[in-house]
Amino acid sequence: MKAEIVSVGTELLLGQIVDTNAAYIARALAGLGFSLYRKTTIGDNHDRLSSVVRDALERADVIMVTGGLGPTEDDLTKETVADVLGVELVENAEALLHLRTMFTSRGTPMPESNRKQALVPESGAGQAIPNPIGTAPGVLFKQGVKRVVCMPGVPREMKLMMDGWVTSYLREYLRNERGVEAIRSRTVRTIGIGESRLEQLILDLAHGRDNPSAATYAGDGECEVRITARAATEAAADAMLDGVEEEVRRRLGRFAYGGEADTLASVVGRCLRRAGLTICTAESCTGGLLAGKLTSIPGSSDYFERGFVTYSNRSKNEELGVDENTLAVHGAVSRESAIRMARGAANASGARISLSITGIAGPGGGSQDKPVGLVHFGLVDARMTRVIAARIRFNGDRESVRNRACSFSLDLIRRHLEEAYPESPGNGAEITHSGDGGDRGIPR
């Protein structure tokens, strides 16, 4: 079955807002087994949106639309789709009650303009899609085998709707129209390997078969393999996935760190918790970003002890005990300073694991010896009296360098924990180390 995505909003068209909804919906559609060939962004204009919807209906079975369901005059999505399909919109009592309840809970009267959000297709032509956290219910339009699903543009509302009602509906729609009882997908997340090399390692799995199928996707410093199987039952589809996933993980080894619901931070947290370890961070160029990622995981208070942000040389000296001679001779961005930062943080906090980051995020501040993007890392394991040092130069702008430095740090911690504490989950990281913090690098 074919699907298309239409993102509605002049602010999207002008680049004032980044369209994250389309990417999220695309991933969900792929997981369900739809073939997605086109995504379109259109402004808040009735005639142009009409043209886009008409063309999409000629090509695809399901059209996913986000945006334009608000109460203002330029929110025209429902009205435009209804015109294209020749459907009348009628007020839905349940949707109107939900709207009034939402405003009452906020302690404000409902503006009359919001009443249009309670309009849904006439009986037999579609229905409202519940939106438990917003005032804009989604709308499903039905015409023969064609479906148009309209969802809010607010990402939080769209994701909740997509993950719940819409996915359930589309799965049943596929079952009825195509006769496939179950479509199941799994994701293997990787770091430290580029998409081209990743594809080479699983080339026969990605291009040599149709069911199960495997595809690679590149992200910001990470890649993933998505495996999809179709079968008569979910159990049969899962059985098909088991063998392929096992082979993918075997081939990728240390580069594979988790599955669909995992992040590097959540995997690191799981490793720390199972090993009974606490961690602290000492950050310079990342300014607390790493601590933020670690503490974004629910329950992180079980293992995160504290974080130091030591941006200046003075703070490195006063808070972490990095001596002035080290800073003067080697500089703040150096192997020596990174190790002493990590040791100082471990001593001050009592945490078993300590990770430091110091680098040049740019755009200025670089030199021939220490170019922009150069970052040094130090990892201290107080339980094992082990010290690890690493350095890498990242490409990209300031934000990219900072984010990639955090990802590298989390991967450094993960690999160490998986090797040193095998009771932790993982793939058996390969990390070199020395008692005094010899340089090491993760193959990228």
Side-chain angles (χ1 to χ4, degrees):
M1 304 291 284
K2 297 178 182 178
E4 290 195 18
I5 298 172
V6 179
S7 301
V8 181
T10 302
E11 67 278 9
L12 298 173
L13 196 62
L14 298 179
Q16 296 169 343
I17 295 178
V18 177
D19 184 9
T20 59
N21 284 354
Y24 194 89
I25 295 169
R27 290 174 61 87
L29 291 174
L32 288 167
F34 281 95
S35 297
L36 180 66
Y37 296 134
R38 188 178 271 100
K39 294 189 288 185
T40 305
T41 302
I42 192 72
D44 299 298
N45 180 278
H46 179 277
D47 292 342
R48 288 191 285 272
L49 179 56
S50 292
S51 177
V52 167
V53 173
R54 289 182 196 279
D55 290 345
L57 285 168
E58 289 292 325
R59 297 183 294 257
D61 305 290
V62 173
I63 315 301
M64 308 293 291
V65 187
T66 61
L69 298 183
T72 63
E73 290 186 6
D74 63 351
D75 290 311
L76 301 168
T77 295
K78 278 191 300 188
E79 292 80 357
T80 303
V81 174
D83 286 348
V84 170
L85 297 176
V87 171
E88 183 182 353
L89 294 175
V90 297
E91 189 171 87
N92 180 274
E94 186 176 347
L96 183 59
L97 177 60
H98 170 73
L99 279 167
R100 295 193 187 281
T101 302
M102 289 287 291
F103 278 95
T104 299
S105 67
R106 299 172 181 175
T108 59
M110 187 187 83
E112 189 62 26
S113 59
N114 283 84
R115 192 160 187 149
K116 65 177 287 190
Q117 293 180 294
L119 295 176
V120 302
E122 60 188 306
S123 178
Q127 65 186 93
I129 302 174
N131 181 357
I133 60 173
T135 62
V139 179
L140 169 71
F141 289 90
K142 299 190 293 184
Q143 190 169 78
V145 298
K146 304 285 186 176
R147 299 291 184 270
V148 181
V149 178
C150 302
M151 296 183 290
V154 179
R156 189 167 67 100
E157 298 178 22
M158 182 282 298
K159 289 177 181 179
L160 187 64
M161 195 176 291
M162 185 73 214
D163 291 343
W165 193 95
V166 174
T167 293
S168 178
Y169 177 84
L170 291 178
R171 187 176 288 118
E172 184 66 23
Y173 168 79
L174 281 171
R175 183 179 294 120
N176 292 334
E177 295 298 327
R178 190 165 58 184
V180 175
E181 291 298 320
I183 301 173
R184 302 280 281 178
S185 294
R186 291 182 195 168
T187 296
V188 178
R189 299 193 184 280
T190 75
I191 188 168
I193 183 171
E195 187 180 17
S196 58
R197 186 180 175 194
L198 172 62
E199 186 181 51
Q200 286 300 313
L201 290 175
I202 62 165
L203 191 63
D204 57 314
L205 301 177
H207 300 288
R209 63 179 72 187
D210 178 60
N211 188 30
S213 63
T216 60
Y217 302 91
D220 186 15
E222 297 188 20
C223 295
E224 64 182 47
V225 180
R226 190 167 187 87
I227 311 162
T228 303
R230 301 177 180 87
T233 65
E234 290 189 353
D238 283 337
M240 294 169 67
L241 292 174
D242 287 341
V244 179
E245 181 183 9
E246 182 179 353
E247 179 62 15
V248 167
R249 289 183 178 273
R250 185 192 68 79
R251 295 187 190 185
L252 298 182
R254 64 191 179 188
F255 297 116
Y257 75 81
E260 178 78 36
D262 291 320
T263 64
L264 275 169
S266 69
V267 171
V268 167
R270 198 157 60 233
C271 290
L272 288 166
R273 184 180 285 110
R274 292 191 183 184
L277 300 172
T278 54
I279 190 170
C280 68
T281 58
E283 301 178 65
S284 185
C285 64
T286 48
L289 192 59
L290 176 60
K293 290 182 181 295
L294 285 166
T295 56
S296 69
I297 306 303
S300 55
S301 58
D302 291 345
Y303 51 81
F304 187 82
E305 215 292 326
R306 72 185 72 176
F308 298 89
V309 178
T310 53
Y311 212 71
S312 66
N313 283 1
R314 178 183 173 186
S315 64
K316 291 178 178 66
N317 172 257
E318 292 180 352
E319 302 212 21
L320 302 177
V322 181
D323 61 89
E324 295 178 353
N325 184 61
T326 297
L327 293 167
V329 173
H330 302 286
V333 181
S334 65
R335 169 184 177 273
E336 291 78 10
S337 291
I339 292 172
R340 282 162 176 77
M341 287 171 64
R343 281 178 169 159
N347 291 335
S349 68
R352 295 292 188 177
I353 304 293
S354 176
L355 194 288
S356 67
I357 307 175
T358 178
I360 304 168
S367 66
Q368 185 173 354
D369 293 335
K370 297 181 180 181
V372 170
L374 177 66
V375 183
H376 282 266
F377 306 84
L379 189 154
V380 168
D381 185 332
R383 176 185 288 184
M384 304 185 71
T385 62
R386 180 176 295 182
V387 179
I388 299 169
R391 69 175 180 268
I392 189 169
R393 184 184 178 187
F394 300 100
N395 295 319
D397 59 15
R398 182 179 181 84
E399 181 180 3
S400 179
V401 169
R402 283 159 45 86
N403 280 312
R404 287 175 182 263
C406 286
S407 294
F408 186 93
S409 298
L410 290 167
D411 194 33
L412 183 63
I413 300 165
R414 172 187 73 93
R415 294 192 185 195
H416 169 67
L417 294 173
E418 289 176 353
E419 180 204 53
Y421 302 92
E423 69 271 20
S424 301
N427 300 289
E430 297 178 13
I431 296 183
T432 61
H433 55 82
S434 73
D436 191 37
D439 280 340
R440 47 91 50 199
I442 297 176
R444 313 313 279 176

